[in-house]
Amino acid sequence: MFYFLSKVLAFLISPYFWGFGLLIAAFFWKAKRKKLLLASIIVFYIFSNRALHNFVLSSWEVQTVRTENLRHHDIGIVLGGFAYYDEQFDRIEFNNSADRILMPLKLYNQGKLDKILLSGGSGELIGRGHPYSDLIKQFLIDSGIPEDDIISESESRNTRENAEMTKKVLEQLDLTDKKLLLITSAAHMKRAKACFDQTGLVVNEFSVDRESSDPRYDFAFWVVPNVEILSKWNKLNHEVIGYLAYWAAGYV
């Protein structure tokens, strides 16, 4: 039930949902039409402002370290959510979070990781779909990493289950005492690290996919709306609300 509710909540907190909800209300509620239209414009403007989004995001993201300063770790734990299976063309397609797997691949080749652990099922609300870990395992093998250096679990569907299933796999392999590096997006790291801490696993953080930047001092950055920012708020809201929901449920 918690998994289902988290998916529904992710839709309800979307700025698109708020803005279009106000537009639909304005269509049916003639007496308040002007106020509802104004409210819709304000919502769309606020959530398309790059400066505001960047400020909030930079406060939420967990900062990373330079690759050259990263110490050696036995196992890099890679969380899913960065790829999907294209059935029409029978291939893996990566999204904007592809750094979650590209950086571990680089760290492995640099000798900073001995093994890579892939954690993640399909993430589908209904049905099993194609588990991330199964897809990415083959990608890593095709990229030259020996199969013996790849560990995977394909049952987890969310961050909490990532942590629990990962611990279970490591216990089965007697690897819980190894030096572990948790690799996920900077905006996702706060919730992910809290979930792994809850299991008792000791992991170090290595954030990737950082989207915040130093403030820019130009008119477009501070004033001109950008439609792409609307979708980026969806990702940030998902992480913030997700963390709060996990806290309320006692998962972090």
Side-chain angles (χ1 to χ4, degrees), residues 1 78 127 140 152 196:
M1 179 58 71
V78 180
L140 291 178
S152 66
F196 275 81

Side-chain angles (χ1 to χ4, degrees), residues 199-212:
T199 69
L201 281 178
V202 178
V203 297
N204 293 322
E205 303 164 319
F206 188 73
S207 299
V208 298
D209 186 30
R210 188 173 71 92
E211 295 187 10
S212 61

Side-chain angles (χ1 to χ4, degrees), residues 104-125:
L105 181 58
K106 178 180 179 179
L107 294 176
Y108 177 89
N109 289 329
Q110 290 179 339
K112 298 200 172 190
L113 293 178
D114 292 336
K115 294 182 182 293
I116 295 177
L117 190 155
L118 305 170
S119 177
S122 68
E124 298 292 337
L125 186 60

Side-chain angles (χ1 to χ4, degrees), residues 46-57:
I46 289 176
F47 287 99
S48 62
N49 182 271
R50 284 184 288 180
L52 176 62
H53 174 265
N54 188 72
F55 172 76
V56 177
L57 181 62

Side-chain angles (χ1 to χ4, degrees), residues 5 23-24 35 47 50 59 62 73 132 140 143 149 153 168 175 179 197 206 216 223 242:
L5 291 176
L23 288 176
I24 293 172
K35 291 183 178 180
F47 287 99
R50 284 184 288 180
S59 301
V62 175
H73 286 74
Y132 289 123
L140 291 178
S143 299
D149 288 342
E153 70 81 15
K168 182 178 180 181
L175 296 174
K179 195 170 184 179
D197 287 345
F206 188 73
R216 291 165 46 190
V223 179

